[in-house]
Amino acid sequence: MLDLSFSARPSPLFKYPLTNLPLFYHKPTHILTNLSLLLSLSLSAMAEAPVSPHHTSPIVCVMDASSTLGSTLVGKLLLRGYTVHAAVQNHGEVQLLNGLSCDTQKLKIFHSDPFDYQSIMDALKGCSGLFYTFEPPHDQTSYDELMADVEVRAAHNVIEACSQTETIEKVVFTSSVTAVVWRDDRKSIPSDLDETHWTDINFSRKFKLWHAMSKALAEKSAWALAMDRGVHMVSVNAGLLMAPDLTITHPYLKGAAEMYEDGVFVTVSVDFLVDAHICVFEDVSSYGRYLCFNHIINNNEDALKLAKTLAPSAPSPPQSCDQDMKMIQQRISNKKLNKLMVNFAGGPKDRMETIGKTNGDASLHVTSSISF
């Protein structure tokens, strides 16, 4: 188990300019070189006496607020009475927030870069909570092996900044289902995959599943540092986000055919994901990781619909009646999140716990049509 008795250490970020820092500028061996220890980490330990965020005058930060998730989250938080510090990476991205159909008097825009420590501190000043999601730099939009280093560094900067911000009481860290499902033994696990499972880094590297590797390493690094620094963190491991700008090139889709066959190819709507983030932030009983999805692609019809959405010009393969009736057994569970969200005000109308618990074989035609 992870040693929880680490002594607090002053951050080296106050001593050196960021431009001179190596990629892993702060690399304690027990955090980054021993991340494999977290595979056996029981996150239930994080449930001890969680602190409720301030609700009398709530101020929260959303980073990066320019993404589909971030901008929608900003709008929902404003509607719920929060004052929001919307942290965006580029000046041009502010226009993405201009279409919010709500009172923006409580909205403050910050130009913040996860690789610029001081800009993170500025955005967090006075906030009781942070909603953090990583957006790749504009000059490095494709996921490759190096993206893992970039995402880990960004997560490390953000959690370190939270530990140095006295008003921060809770961090909601957006991760991915891909940080859970990719394991060499995934077909032999007797129970459904859930929050206790982690993607195997070596397996991901072997099959070049860079999105999965990046998300797993970044989340593990964030958990290790949060525990070391005493930051109250909760992670939301989201399925494939069905955003308007979703394309066939999304790195989540690497290995989509295998996820489909394994019964773990799940998606999530923007509204449901936003509600999940707010729920785990506001609920004082939330702890650890939460798998978040409200639809599973486990039958030919849904697979074809998704393939058509991602590649409208691609021809549809011929299907037989028998193929249309077949379903893949679901092998992933989001019961933990659904239980938390039962009484969430304004919460999910399309919450899903189990769909298609039916055995069956997938059509090879459909599988290949979504193998990217």
Side-chain angles (χ1 to χ4, degrees), residues 65-283:
S66 61
S67 64
T68 298
L69 170 61
S71 59
T72 308
L73 186 55
V74 168
K76 181 64 74 73
L77 288 167
L78 290 172
L79 288 173
R80 294 177 74 87
Y82 287 88
T83 294
V84 180
H85 289 188
V88 298
Q89 291 192 34
N90 295 316
H91 290 265
E93 293 174 338
V94 176
Q95 62 183 352
L96 298 175
L97 298 171
N98 290 337
L100 296 175
S101 57
C102 55
D103 184 5
T104 58
Q105 292 183 352
K106 292 187 175 182
L107 174 64
K108 298 182 179 180
I109 305 294
F110 290 81
H111 301 288
S112 181
D113 188 328
F115 308 104
D116 181 348
Y117 186 77
Q118 189 56 51
S119 72
I120 302 173
M121 293 292 292
D122 292 341
L124 292 177
K125 187 176 181 180
C127 293
S128 62
L130 168 68
F131 297 87
Y132 171 73
T133 181
F134 174 78
E135 288 294 316
H138 288 277
D139 59 349
Q140 190 176 357
T141 56
S142 62
Y143 266 77
D144 54 24
E145 190 170 8
L146 297 178
M147 185 61 76
D149 294 339
V150 174
E151 194 159 350
V152 166
R153 179 184 169 187
H156 194 278
N157 279 351
V158 170
I159 300 301
E160 180 67 34
C162 288
S163 73
Q164 299 296 328
T165 304
E166 293 183 356
T167 55
I168 290 290
E169 296 179 354
K170 198 171 192 178
V171 176
V172 180
F173 186 95
T174 308
S175 186
S176 174
V177 165
T178 60
V180 173
V181 300
W182 288 111
R183 305 160 55 93
D184 195 29
D185 63 347
R186 65 190 187 280
K187 295 181 183 294
S188 60
I189 296 176
S191 60
D192 291 346
L193 290 172
D194 60 20
E195 292 82 2
T196 64
H197 296 97
W198 285 92
T199 281
D200 182 86
I201 302 304
N202 291 329
F203 181 89
S204 299
R205 183 179 286 109
K206 178 181 178 180
F207 291 98
K208 299 182 179 181
L209 299 165
W210 305 130
H211 185 270
M213 189 177 80
S214 297
K215 294 301 179 183
L217 283 174
E219 187 188 348
K220 288 180 179 181
S221 179
W223 273 117
L225 188 59
M227 296 182 74
D228 186 22
R229 298 291 195 263
V231 175
H232 182 202
M233 189 180 98
V234 178
S235 67
V236 177
N237 294 73
L240 176 66
L241 181 60
M242 300 304 293
D245 57 350
L246 178 64
T247 67
I248 198 171
T249 61
H250 196 290
Y252 185 108
L253 292 166
K254 174 73 173 180
E258 289 74 15
M259 286 190 285
Y260 175 75
E261 292 172 346
D262 294 343
V264 298
F265 191 8
V266 292
T267 66
V268 62
S269 65
V270 176
D271 288 339
F272 183 86
L273 184 57
V274 166
D275 283 343
H277 277 71
I278 297 174
C279 177
V280 299
F281 177 72
E282 293 183 344
D283 196 315

